[in-house]
Amino acid sequence: MAKILRNLASTFLIIFTILMLLHNISKAESYTFSKRISPAKLGLQRQKLSHLHFYFHDIVSGRNPTSVQVAGAAMTNTSLTGFGMVAMIDDPLTAGLEMSTKLVGRAQGMYASASLNEVGLLMVLNFAFVEGKYNGSTLSVLGRNSVLSTVREMPIVGGSGLFRFANGYAQARTRVFDSKTGDAVVEYNVYVFHY
């Protein structure tokens, strides 16, 4: 009987040891998907509101366009709104209305004609800044641009660099439009909360 109890105790000890090893192995391989952290841990102290003012130069004509159509539907050329047109852009952003003024960044991304009944663009782009303390920082725009409206408002949905956790809005006003070439200069006033 004592021998049976010793064998049973040994078996129990072996099973317990194996179970503990398996538990430790599974615990070591588990990963935490999410956790709460303090904003201060990321250096986020107090939210600021910044106003940026610049001019967006959309050049579709000439030898060096900054906006190029990359797609279109069968009906795009016959549609009054250009519905289905998609263009990639790398447009200069300048401090003043004239292209010769200081370059403060570039608008990089795309816009697409997304309305059958009016000239309404889907804007998906980043304002990539190259000037001053904002050099290397970006703001991301994702929204509707009703081009023929005097003032258009689009959301700022994020950013990088000094604009991490950014949100706000951009107001656009067309200042120059050449109906022969399609080139345009658009004034932007951007209001953005960031840390």
Side-chain angles (χ1 to χ4, degrees), residues 101-112:
T101 60
K102 184 176 202 144
L103 182 74
V104 297
R106 302 203 66 91
Q108 298 171 327
M110 69 175 99
Y111 55 76

Side-chain angles (χ1 to χ4, degrees), residues 4-19:
I4 293 173
L5 287 175
R6 274 194 305 261
N7 286 341
L8 197 54
S10 294
T11 305
F12 177 74
L13 186 59
I14 291 170
I15 291 172
F16 180 75
T17 304
I18 291 171
L19 288 175

